[in-house]
Amino acid sequence: MGGAVVDDEPSDVKAPDGGWGWAVLAGGFVITGFSYAFPKAVSVFFKELIREFGVGYSDCAWISSILLAMLYGTGPLCSVLVNKFGCRPVMMVGGLFASLGMILASLATSIIHIYLCTGVITGLGLALNFQPSLIMLNRYFSEKRPLANGLSAAGSPVALCCLSPLGQVLQYHYGWRGGFLILGGLLLNCCACGALMRPLVGPKKPQDQELQAVDQAEKKPKPPKKLLDFSVFKDRGFLIYAIAASIMVLGLFVPPVFVVSYAKEMGNEDTKSALLLTILGFVDIFARPTCGLIAGMKWVRPRCVYLFSFAILFNGITDVVSSQATDYPGLVVFCIFFGLSYGMVGALQFEVLMAIVGTKKFSSALGLVLLMEAIAVLVGPPGAGRLLDTTHNYMHVFLLAGCEVILASIVICLGNFLCIKKKLDEPEAHLENGAPAEMEKLNSLPEGGKTESEQPDGDISTVTVFVYGDTPQ
């Protein structure tokens, strides 16, 4: 399998920061858009599904919930498959699954059938595309990676602005069955995006050196490859990130789910209320690449984790303040600031994880983090809905979401600050791209602490200024 070259990348392969990487970025942009926007876009068909199968809105809402649960909860499975077969074949098979699920769902005779086809099969297919696309982006970009992450993350709001109106048009002209069938064909583009994920290969060696390397490889028994590296849990930086991300997800997705209903509760018409999500998405489109550009600056990049903490705090404070909104203009202002903060979080969340664990362990770390977030995704919005049913007051829902997100920002900020044992002298220890300037200075660190630059994967472009004493490498 060609993708295996990527996952067994030789240490002398350097991220090109361009070239074919821009094609990889374009594929990641499309995949991110499908992965995050599709669960929301499917909700356009809910009214027809309710009429067709005689079920309630909550029954249809399980379709989106199962899609999201598969996207997050299958993280470890995706990590195992990527480490075994490589990114490209996994993504192309995932594209077939995503398309097949929607095509089979167009023939559904019950809501359970749609759960299994759209929720499970399509959800699994999108998951098999989303995680490898992030891994390949990490392979191809080093110095420009924060910008690349921001541009790739912008696919989510762009796709949401396109897929929701498209779904309405398809439903009007072809009904929900025809709409599902056409969307299934549209998801075949995931296979094309997977084909773009060309593996990186090392520089060609002279034939005699190549034969010598083959002989040495035959003599030395190759250690078995870890399909899922649980050693990331021994990394304090990863643990802090995983806990904070799980707390954050409890409240992060709640406001977009309830803001339209909040506006309707105030007496606004449906079209005017739905415009709020359009405003939020429009701001989000520009916030993500802008934040990625800022995160890549020489002074900001080593402190990216604190910028991420600020973005989470900004988002939580926005929720808390918006709970006091009493009219439509107040909700418009909320959507502007929420879109800005939400875009910042989306642009930084995977960049920070990449910087913490490095290239070699990123696949396993991402899968395990997504699994932990899956639990929070299933608990967060339903918990907020139960609170709304009990209090009949949207203020409490937004307050709860804001407090959860603020708590996450405190956890990641204080956790990283308290884990610092020593700060590197940035002007002397880093080049412009964030790589180590002198290995002697890194070797002079205490035996207990290591930076990411000392990891065996050779990814020295994402050095953080933190030294975790118990981080095994």
Side-chain angles (χ1 to χ4, degrees):
M1 294 288 184
V5 179
V6 176
D7 301 312
D8 292 327
E9 180 187 343
S11 58
D12 55 353
V13 174
K14 183 181 178 183
D17 271 316
W20 190 256
W22 297 116
V24 173
L25 174 58
F29 178 90
V30 174
I31 294 297
T32 302
F34 278 135
S35 300
Y36 278 113
F38 212 79
K40 302 181 184 72
V42 170
S43 63
V44 171
F45 299 95
F46 282 0
K47 284 188 177 180
E48 282 207 21
L49 293 176
I50 291 170
R51 191 181 305 113
E52 175 86 12
F53 299 114
V55 295
Y57 186 86
S58 60
D59 297 313
C60 288
W62 273 104
I63 300 172
S64 296
S65 296
I66 295 172
L67 265 169
L68 284 171
M70 291 298 294
L71 181 64
Y72 283 90
T74 55
L77 173 63
C78 294
S79 297
V80 170
L81 293 175
V82 165
N83 288 333
K84 186 172 180 62
F85 301 108
C87 293
R88 179 187 273 176
V90 170
M91 289 183 68
M92 296 185 75
V93 171
L96 292 176
F97 269 90
S99 176
L100 179 64
M102 292 302 294
I103 293 172
L104 291 176
S106 68
L107 307 174
T109 56
S110 69
I111 195 69
I112 301 296
H113 189 174
I114 294 182
Y115 290 163
L116 294 175
C117 295
T118 302
V120 176
I121 300 178
T122 297
L124 176 61
L126 291 175
L128 292 176
N129 275 270
F130 176 61
Q131 189 169 326
S133 70
L134 288 174
I135 294 169
M136 287 301 293
L137 198 66
N138 184 39
R139 296 286 186 187
Y140 269 89
F141 288 91
S142 178
E143 181 181 350
K144 297 178 182 177
R145 196 179 63 203
L147 175 61
N149 271 313
L151 290 171
S152 176
S156 174
V158 170
L160 184 59
C161 291
C162 296
L163 285 179
S164 292
L166 176 63
Q168 291 174 342
V169 171
L170 293 177
Q171 179 180 256
Y172 178 77
H173 289 286
Y174 306 105
W176 72 268
R177 292 185 186 275
F180 274 30
L181 187 62
I182 294 172
L183 288 176
L186 190 64
L187 284 173
L188 282 173
N189 285 289
C190 292
C191 295
C193 293
L196 291 174
M197 304 299 164
R198 189 170 69 190
L200 284 169
V201 292
K204 291 185 178 180
K205 298 179 180 179
Q207 190 173 3
D208 55 343
Q209 291 185 12
E210 191 173 341
L211 292 173
Q212 186 179 0
V214 171
D215 292 337
Q216 290 178 353
E218 289 176 353
K219 290 177 183 178
K220 284 186 178 181
K222 193 174 181 180
K225 186 176 180 180
K226 291 183 179 179
L227 296 181
L228 192 61
D229 191 353
F230 288 98
S231 69
V232 291
F233 283 110
K234 297 178 181 178
D235 187 329
R236 276 196 278 180
F238 172 77
L239 279 177
I240 292 166
Y241 177 91
I243 294 170
S246 300
I247 297 172
M248 176 187 71
V249 169
L250 281 173
L252 186 65
F253 299 127
V254 169
V257 171
F258 288 93
V259 68
V260 174
S261 300
Y262 195 5
K264 291 179 182 178
E265 185 78 11
M266 292 178 178
N268 298 290
E269 59 184 20
D270 292 357
T271 306
K272 192 176 179 182
S273 300
L275 182 62
L276 292 171
L277 286 181
T278 305
I279 295 171
L280 192 157
F282 184 77
V283 176
D284 192 3
I285 289 173
F286 296 96
R288 296 192 184 217
T290 303
C291 185
L293 190 63
I294 294 172
M297 292 180 177
K298 180 181 177 181
W299 186 84
V300 177
R301 191 171 185 185
R303 301 169 178 83
C304 199
V305 67
Y306 292 116
L307 180 61
F308 182 49
S309 177
F310 168 76
I312 300 173
L313 180 64
F314 184 16
N315 187 271
I317 292 175
T318 302
D319 293 343
V320 171
V321 173
S322 71
S323 67
Q324 307 303 316
T326 56
D327 53 15
Y328 187 80
L331 290 181
V332 170
V333 173
F334 158 70
C335 286
I336 292 173
F337 283 98
F338 186 88
L340 179 60
S341 59
Y342 189 76
M344 292 174 66
V345 172
L348 293 171
Q349 57 178 340
F350 298 118
E351 166 62 25
V352 171
L353 180 60
M354 289 175 188
I356 289 173
V357 300
T359 301
K360 283 290 183 184
K361 295 184 179 181
F362 178 67
S363 174
S364 297
L366 179 60
L368 294 169
V369 164
L370 289 177
L371 178 60
M372 294 175 68
E373 288 183 351
I375 301 171
V377 165
L378 289 175
V379 171
R386 184 175 292 273
L387 178 64
L388 180 61
D389 292 337
T390 303
T391 62
H392 302 287
N393 193 330
Y394 284 91
M395 180 186 74
H396 297 113
V397 172
F398 280 73
L399 277 175
L400 175 64
C403 290
E404 289 167 343
V405 175
I406 289 172
L407 176 61
S409 72
I410 294 172
V411 169
I412 196 168
C413 183
L414 288 183
N416 278 277
F417 183 77
L418 294 176
C419 279
I420 295 175
K421 286 195 172 182
K422 183 178 179 180
K423 283 191 176 182
L424 298 178
D425 187 10
E426 287 174 56
E428 297 179 1
H430 294 78
L431 296 174
E432 286 185 5
N433 65 353
E438 297 176 354
M439 289 305 295
E440 292 79 10
K441 292 182 180 178
L442 295 177
N443 293 333
S444 67
L445 290 172
E447 262 185 88
K450 290 185 179 181
T451 65
E452 187 179 342
S453 61
E454 295 172 296
Q455 292 184 12
D457 58 12
D459 182 12
I460 61 174
S461 63
T462 55
V463 175
T464 60
V465 297
F466 312 116
V467 183
Y468 299 98
D470 60 349
T471 303
Q473 305 293 346

